[in-house]
Amino acid sequence: MIQKELICIVCPIGCLITAEIDEDGTIGKVSGNSCPRGKEYAINELKHPVRTLTSTMIVANRDNAVIPVKTDRAIPKEKLFEIMDIINRSSAAAPIKIGDILIKDVFEGSNVVATGSME
Amino acid sequence: MKNVDLIVIGAGPAGMAAALCVYEEGIRNILVLDRAEKPGGILQQCIHNGFGLHKFGEELTGPEYAAKYSEKIISSGIQCLFGTSVLSITKDKLVTAINNKSGMFTIQSKAIILAMGCRERSRGALGIPGSRPAGIYTAGTAQWFVNIKGEMPGKNVVILGSGDIGLIMARRLTLEGAKVQAVCELMPYSGGLNRNIVQCLNDFSIPLKLSHTISKIHGESRVTGVTVSKVDVNLNVIETESEYIPCDTILLSVGLIPENELTKGAGITLDSVTGGAVVNQNRQTETEGVFACGNVLHVHDLVDFVSEEAELAGKAAAEYIKGGKKEAYEKVVLRPGNGVRYTVPQIIEKNADNDEIKLYFRVGGIIENASVVMESEGETAFSKYRRKMVPGEMEYIVIKRDILEKMHGTVIIKVEQGAKK
């Protein structure tokens, strides 16, 4: 069994979490987290790290305007640049409301949604 | 002259939460002033997520967090004047402002809530040798360029200072295709949150060079590179341990300064460490009826705590507007002692209607296995064990009423090493 320490990124408290990993890769006891989200984060992080991607997208019908966006689900860490590329090759059209889906199913059911509004 | 019950200066997270709180307490004659064209303050350019976990139990981006409040402000009908700069305030609550519609005007208010936020420390405050080429930005300015204007400040970047905005921008610029060479931090520890080091630097293999600084900026019309040097324990540059890093852009993330020119102008007492006003537990300044909350009072790590503080100020302001002057209470003055840089509030007024008081403070260095101790009249009135405290993260203790009753006069709050609870 090995112990792995990681810093939780779920919220700004940044708990130092210790996870026990058996020889066969099974994750055992998780400690140091101060909420259930922390445990979930630690397990995900050890198995397959995911991140919510935030960026901006060009608004085609407004002068020099961009709208803030995010993926509505966390996506695998290694896909971040691929999805950045898709966002940067796309554009949105105003009016846009917060929560509007701007790119549908960008990765395995995750959408790119607007996090701001523009008239 | 126009009369109102309350003027809130600033429509960022602090100002919006404070105005809404006062509104919910039944006060209607409220005026919110902001120099920007829309509410939200700096949150509008903080497009990353991680806001609102404390306050709303969900993970929001900056604009989403701002929208939670701005939508309420707009639907409440609270009067807001945007594109309006406040020029001066007085202890008598006269507020003089200017905009391009009404020109200059003065309004008499019963109470004022200061919520002007903070600004970034710039190159001039650092005294880095070298020429003055283009390509040197504060991290927040770069953030505005990228996230609001959709323009990249450069391609090859060195960041000085490991404040949160710098870390966030390291990731943001990397995602947009720039190469971030390094983040240099003068101190032996980071000024930013741990989670940001993990998800903004480690995720993208961006080196964090602790105890390093930029000792020279190179380039004539545009930055061509920097000399990065190690510093000794006294933070002096070790010239023999220097390297040249070519780059076209430098971002500075070297601290935030509460923006208190108006407060100073009114002659309201400021705390020399926080750079914000001296306040009591209800965030009232030493001038009755003038309250302060958010980053104008002290720089917060989390917007959630800004909103919380704004509600304290809002509740107290509403009470002040309704009840006017209150009787004087016994005051306890808090003084930072060993290891503690500052506290907010700095003054506790006993017998005010608080069952418990949340006392925020910051430590001056990394402290492990220590107790936070409050000493009144030479005796320990409060002690709480902490495993670890770091300067980059704001700490707080909760003082219950019965403990508070034991405190008199000047109370020292300090850190005692090794003391277990």
Side-chain angles (χ1 to χ4, degrees):
Chain A
M1 190 195 70
I2 57 157
Q3 281 198 339
K4 192 147 184 186
E5 287 197 332
L6 27 114
I7 290 160
C8 182
I9 62 166
V10 172
C11 89
I13 293 172
C15 293
L16 181 64
I17 301 180
T18 309
E20 293 176 355
I21 306 164
D22 291 336
E23 281 77 35
D24 62 353
T26 359
I27 300 159
K29 200 178 152 225
V30 175
S31 57
N33 53 306
S34 47
C35 78
R37 288 163 187 262
K39 188 174 176 180
E40 192 188 324
Y41 166 77
I43 292 168
N44 274 334
E45 191 68 9
L46 292 167
K47 280 190 190 156
H48 197 175
V50 292
R51 299 285 184 267
T52 297
L53 178 65
T54 62
S55 189
T56 55
M57 195 189 277
I58 287 173
V59 180
N61 56 349
R62 295 286 181 275
D63 280 345
N64 303 317
V66 292
I67 190 91
V69 298
K70 69 173 181 185
T71 55
D72 59 1
R73 280 188 226 164
I75 52 173
K77 206 161 92 172
E78 72 276 9
K79 294 281 174 194
L80 288 177
F81 283 98
E82 225 172 276
I83 292 163
M84 275 301 294
D85 203 43
I86 296 170
I87 294 170
N88 281 342
R89 281 189 280 109
S90 311
S91 64
I96 301 162
K97 274 177 96 176
I98 199 164
D100 283 356
I101 295 177
L102 301 181
I103 306 174
K104 216 172 155 43
D105 193 16
V106 72
F107 180 80
E108 289 181 358
S110 176
N111 305 305
V112 173
V113 300
T115 56
S117 302
M118 192 174 286
E119 283 177 10
Chain B
M1 186 166 40
K2 195 178 163 179
N3 280 277
V4 296
D5 285 337
L6 172 71
I7 287 181
V8 180
I9 307 173
M16 289 194 296
L20 276 171
C21 181
V22 175
Y23 180 85
E24 278 157 19
E25 296 286 327
I27 311 283
R28 291 291 174 267
N29 198 359
I30 302 171
L31 179 62
V32 180
L33 306 174
D34 198 293
R35 62 187 170 201
E37 292 301 332
K38 62 176 188 174
I42 209 69
L43 283 173
Q44 298 293 4
Q45 69 181 57
C46 299
I47 63 158
H48 54 282
N49 63 341
F51 301 93
L53 270 160
H54 278 265
K55 189 86 193 143
F56 299 109
E58 55 178 320
E59 199 171 14
L60 302 168
T61 64
E64 290 173 313
Y65 190 97
K68 291 242 179 214
Y69 290 91
S70 59
E71 282 166 9
K72 274 194 196 165
I73 290 264
I74 289 158
S75 66
S76 72
I78 292 174
Q79 202 198 342
C80 300
L81 286 177
F82 294 108
T84 303
S85 286
V86 175
L87 301 175
S88 73
I89 60 171
T90 69
K91 283 187 174 177
D92 300 324
K93 289 99 175 171
L94 283 170
V95 176
T96 302
I98 191 165
N99 64 27
N100 60 11
K101 203 171 149 210
S102 315
M104 197 167 93
F105 54 92
T106 299
I107 299 171
Q108 174 74 62
S109 187
K110 281 187 192 158
I112 298 173
I113 296 180
L114 306 171
M116 295 90 80
C118 59
R119 59 164 179 258
E120 296 177 279
R121 188 166 284 134
S122 60
R123 182 186 174 184
L126 299 177
I128 309 169
S131 48
R132 297 185 61 193
I136 306 169
Y137 303 89
T138 60
T141 303
Q143 190 179 44
W144 181 82
F145 270 115
V146 181
N147 294 347
I148 303 291
K149 304 304 283 180
E151 288 165 16
M152 287 287 279
K155 291 176 182 149
N156 205 348
V157 186
V158 171
I159 299 177
L160 178 63
S162 61
D164 286 309
I165 317 165
L167 302 177
I168 294 287
M169 284 314 292
R171 171 178 65 181
R172 183 76 185 111
L173 292 171
T174 305
L175 283 169
E176 289 289 2
K179 171 77 185 155
V180 178
Q181 302 285 356
V183 174
C184 302
E185 170 58 58
L186 181 71
M187 304 305 286
Y189 49 81
S190 164
L193 298 172
N194 263 334
R195 75 192 294 255
N196 286 335
I197 294 175
V198 174
Q199 62 180 354
C200 298
L201 301 187
N202 300 358
D203 270 9
F204 301 97
S205 309
I206 299 166
L208 172 60
K209 289 172 165 291
L210 297 173
S211 298
H212 279 77
T213 191
I214 293 177
S215 55
K216 190 171 173 152
I217 294 172
H218 304 263
E220 289 305 319
S221 58
R222 177 87 195 186
V223 173
T224 53
V226 290
T227 302
V228 168
S229 306
K230 197 170 192 291
V231 297
D232 62 21
V233 284
N234 299 316
L235 308 181
N236 293 320
V237 166
I238 308 170
E239 272 183 47
T240 50
E241 292 188 56
S242 300
E243 62 169 324
Y244 176 78
I245 302 178
C247 65
D248 56 35
T249 304
I250 299 166
L251 298 194
L252 304 174
S253 179
V254 289
L256 301 168
I257 306 161
E259 202 165 339
N260 273 304
E261 275 61 35
L262 293 173
T263 325
K264 261 183 233 167
I268 294 167
T269 319
L270 297 185
D271 180 320
S272 62
V273 181
T274 60
V278 170
V279 291
N280 70 9
Q281 71 269 32
N282 296 323
R283 304 305 187 263
Q284 180 168 245
T285 66
E286 291 200 322
T287 300
E288 263 199 17
V290 179
F291 301 81
C293 55
N295 281 354
V296 78
L297 185 55
H298 59 134
V299 177
H300 295 60
D301 315 325
L302 297 190
V303 71
D304 304 57
F305 291 155
V306 167
S307 303
E308 204 175 279
E309 184 167 71
E311 284 161 21
L312 275 179
K315 277 207 181 77
E319 207 164 289
Y320 175 84
I321 294 162
K322 286 177 194 165
K325 212 176 150 108
K326 279 210 164 183
E327 58 183 294
Y329 294 122
E330 183 193 342
K331 273 186 194 172
V332 170
V333 178
L334 301 166
R335 287 259 180 279
N338 178 44
V340 175
R341 285 189 56 227
Y342 72 78
T343 67
V344 169
Q346 293 89 345
I347 294 165
I348 297 175
E349 280 183 31
K350 286 166 82 168
N351 303 323
D353 315 315
N354 308 79
D355 285 334
E356 53 180 45
I357 286 161
K358 214 170 177 182
L359 185 65
Y360 289 98
F361 64 97
R362 267 184 211 275
V363 293
I366 295 177
I367 295 166
E368 292 187 71
N369 292 318
S371 289
V372 184
V373 173
M374 290 178 80
E375 211 177 71
S376 173
E377 297 172 318
E379 286 189 30
T380 300
F382 178 95
S383 175
K384 179 112 186 149
Y385 173 77
R386 286 291 158 89
R387 192 170 69 94
K388 191 176 183 182
M389 292 181 282
V390 296
E393 302 194 9
M394 197 159 72
E395 298 284 340
Y396 68 83
I397 49 175
V398 176
I399 307 162
K400 302 267 186 211
R401 169 159 288 278
D402 56 325
I403 304 277
L404 186 60
E405 287 306 326
K406 289 185 217 159
M407 296 182 190
H408 304 279
T410 299
V411 171
I412 311 282
I413 168 163
K414 60 182 180 180
V415 170
E416 275 180 10
Q417 210 72 41
K420 266 269 182 191
K421 60 178 158 181

